[in-house]
Amino acid sequence: MRLYSWNVNGFRAVVQKGFWDWFAACDGDVICLQETKATWEQVPEKHRTVKGYEVIWNGAGTKKGYSGVACFTRNAPQSWSQGLPDARYQGEGRTLLLEYEEFYLFNIYFPNGQMSQERLDYKMGFYDAFLEYAERLRQTKPIVVCGDLNTAHREIDLKNPKANADRSGFLPQERAWVDTFLSYGYHDTFRMFTAEGGQYSWWTYRFNARARNAGWRIDYFFVSDELKNRVKRAWIEDSVYGSDHCPVGLELDAR
């Protein structure tokens, strides 16, 4: 099973930048998008249906052109839902949960904490509410999590760790939460195969950052321990353009 995750920084924009060519070539079984910045009604009719895929959308953001996640899945899930159970973290269109026969799949656009202390607190609370929910679901099935975590975990996950030590996205408490998450028995699938740094999934549009590969790895696939032995490969498609992020991928062996 081949899965992809991509923060597209605006679905209506990325479809004008070769998205469907990439989509056709990637041959994904599930393609998860974040930061779609559109409600279902705002998506042009010609982009609402894809042959061979069920399209699932959560664009329930509190502001127009903000947040949003979507999934394209070849196999219809047994069930799906929007948002986290905690009402404090609903209403921004950040989460889709798809239930398949063998696992639950979270597609999440985690909050960014750079705007203010209030948003940083919201981000940390969102992290905790997500983990609590994942652990509850994990009692019945394994978990796959993908999306834009908005945190680089280790120094090798960004080009300039010292210069960004005081910036949300690489703060000690954010990195410590990732440590905590992994301690519950989740695995950063990319790091199962690649130990060295220098591969990133996001580059600011400023300062010619992508050409210089001055990036951050903030887009992930995680699996719970029950699926670890089924992870065949995980990768970053840093040659794919169309957004300030690039796609990341995961392949799971059949059981």
Side-chain angles (χ1 to χ4, degrees), residues 52-66:
Y53 289 85
E54 181 174 339
V55 183
I56 301 172
W57 205 269
N58 183 1
T62 55
K63 296 180 288 187
K64 288 186 177 180
Y66 177 74

Side-chain angles (χ1 to χ4, degrees), residues 113-253:
Q114 293 183 10
M115 184 178 298
S116 64
Q117 183 63 46
E118 180 181 7
R119 286 305 291 180
L120 178 59
D121 292 342
Y122 182 89
K123 176 181 182 178
M124 300 308 298
F126 188 104
Y127 277 164
D128 290 339
F130 151 70
L131 179 53
E132 180 183 352
Y133 188 32
E135 282 297 282
R136 192 191 319 163
L137 293 170
R138 190 179 172 192
Q139 294 176 25
T140 58
K141 290 183 182 182
I143 304 294
V144 178
V145 184
C146 73
D148 178 358
L149 191 67
N150 260 315
T151 293
H153 181 207
R154 297 160 55 195
E155 288 194 352
I156 60 171
D157 293 317
L158 70 167
K159 179 71 171 182
N160 298 304
K162 290 182 173 58
N164 289 287
D166 297 326
R167 179 181 177 186
S168 179
F170 197 58
L171 294 174
Q173 62 266 42
E174 295 167 316
R175 299 171 63 196
W177 183 88
V178 183
D179 290 331
T180 297
F181 178 51
L182 298 180
S183 77
Y184 275 73
Y186 293 87
H187 300 272
D188 176 352
T189 58
F190 182 74
R191 287 287 170 233
M192 292 171 62
F193 300 91
T194 306
E196 67 274 8
Q199 289 188 264
Y200 310 118
S201 64
W202 174 80
W203 304 260
T204 178
Y205 281 133
R206 298 178 295 169
F207 315 124
N208 204 29
R210 190 155 187 177
R212 298 185 294 109
N213 198 30
W216 298 50
R217 190 176 74 95
I218 58 176
D219 301 272
Y220 297 79
F221 267 102
F222 298 101
V223 298
S224 60
D225 197 54
E226 302 84 7
L227 291 172
K228 180 182 178 182
N229 292 335
R230 289 181 54 188
V231 176
K232 185 175 181 180
R233 65 187 184 108
W235 66 97
I236 297 174
E237 297 194 351
D238 52 11
S239 62
V240 176
Y241 287 74
S243 169
D244 50 351
H245 296 250
C246 72
V248 299
L250 171 69
E251 188 169 345
L252 295 174
D253 270 334

